[in-house]
Amino acid sequence: MTHDASYKLLFSHAELVADLLRGFLPPAWVEQLDLASLEKVSGSYVSDDLRARHNDVVWRLRWGPRWLYVYILLEMQSTVDRFMAVRLLSYVGLLYQDLINAKQLSSGGKLPAVLPIVLYNGEQRWRAATKLSELIEPPPAGLEPFQPSLRYLLLDEGRYSAEELSALDRNLAAALFRLEQSPTLDSTRALIQALEQWLRAPAQTGLR
């Protein structure tokens, strides 16, 4: 639980979320994002019972002239949740219902786009379906358009090599992944010293 709370606290900082998006989304997407516009979204619409079963953070930012909501589910458990796509369908539905209730729609009265991300740091590699359709039996002919649809972006920390993470220069999210994978005390110490240098600015006190 302490690990879960620490991750949730870390990803409540815009600087870390910006580096996660900058370092691990397709470059063509990142070019269109206004990372300076990142705003944290309240999760108060989630019931206490549901909140006790998951850790997530929700941010929004500008994608061109429109808002994009980024739903980051932090999966810190050692086991892989086979039905993660179903969980995310529920969470995104709750987010949309809250936006409807708050009348936070586009000028055309439509809901914003949502990018669901699962950030996973378990020892096993993630093998669960990332598309909801893979969890549903093939429907009878003609019923395909009526099936629910959702796909999430998986960031499995253990799939990234040390070389790939090191290539992301001064990226806070990559540094966090490297700390998770750090094989020796010396390498951990070197990473912490580098982070202390990067986070010296007074504005970074909370994240430091």
Side-chain angles (χ1 to χ4, degrees), residues 66-69 92-114:
R66 300 182 178 87
W67 286 107
L68 168 71
Y69 281 69
V92 172
L94 286 170
L95 172 61
Y96 272 151
Q97 189 60 60
D98 187 63
L99 294 175
I100 292 169
N101 294 340
K103 296 182 172 55
Q104 294 185 1
L105 307 176
S106 72
S107 58
K110 294 188 176 182
L111 291 161
V114 175

Side-chain angles (χ1 to χ4, degrees), residues 1-72:
M1 290 299 293
T2 301
H3 199 187
D4 293 4
S6 298
Y7 254 68
K8 194 163 187 176
L9 180 61
L10 284 168
F11 284 96
S12 293
H13 289 270
E15 297 88 347
L16 192 54
V17 175
D19 272 2
L20 181 74
L21 301 179
R22 189 182 290 115
F24 297 93
L25 293 189
W29 296 7
V30 177
E31 289 176 2
Q32 301 179 66
L33 297 177
D34 178 6
L35 296 173
S37 68
L38 274 165
E39 296 179 9
K40 195 168 186 300
V41 176
S42 169
S44 59
Y45 56 89
V46 180
S47 68
D48 290 340
D49 176 63
L50 189 57
R51 189 178 294 112
R53 303 206 312 267
H54 77 289
N55 280 294
D56 62 2
V57 287
V58 185
W59 289 81
R60 71 173 189 165
L61 74 166
R62 288 285 184 181
W63 181 309
R66 300 182 178 87
W67 286 107
L68 168 71
Y69 281 69
V70 180
Y71 197 116
I72 306 174

Side-chain angles (χ1 to χ4, degrees), residues 36-189:
S37 68
L38 274 165
E39 296 179 9
K40 195 168 186 300
V41 176
S42 169
S44 59
Y45 56 89
V46 180
S47 68
D48 290 340
D49 176 63
L50 189 57
R51 189 178 294 112
R53 303 206 312 267
H54 77 289
N55 280 294
D56 62 2
V57 287
V58 185
W59 289 81
R60 71 173 189 165
L61 74 166
R62 288 285 184 181
W63 181 309
R66 300 182 178 87
W67 286 107
L68 168 71
Y69 281 69
V70 180
Y71 197 116
I72 306 174
L73 195 144
L74 307 170
E75 189 68 0
M76 304 293 104
Q77 303 179 56
S78 58
T79 56
V80 173
D81 184 349
R82 178 186 170 202
F83 292 102
M84 176 59 74
V86 178
R87 286 173 58 190
L88 274 165
L89 180 68
S90 300
Y91 300 155
V92 172
L94 286 170
L95 172 61
Y96 272 151
Q97 189 60 60
D98 187 63
L99 294 175
I100 292 169
N101 294 340
K103 296 182 172 55
Q104 294 185 1
L105 307 176
S106 72
S107 58
K110 294 188 176 182
L111 291 161
V114 175
L115 172 61
I117 297 176
V118 171
L119 179 58
Y120 171 70
N121 77 339
E123 292 185 6
Q124 301 179 48
R125 298 285 57 80
W126 190 270
R127 289 183 293 275
T130 58
K131 293 191 294 185
L132 183 61
S133 60
E134 296 175 5
L135 299 172
I136 301 174
E137 285 286 345
L143 295 187
E144 296 89 350
F146 302 99
Q147 306 312 302
S149 177
L150 180 135
R151 183 173 186 169
Y152 61 87
L153 175 65
L154 172 67
L155 299 181
D156 183 347
E157 294 182 19
R159 288 192 185 277
Y160 296 99
S161 68
E163 292 74 18
E164 289 175 306
L165 296 174
S166 298
L168 295 171
D169 187 42
R170 296 178 69 88
N171 185 292
L172 295 171
L176 176 63
F177 296 179
R178 289 169 65 193
L179 279 172
E180 291 278 7
Q181 300 178 16
S182 184
T184 67
L185 183 60
D186 286 343
S187 60
T188 300
R189 185 181 294 113

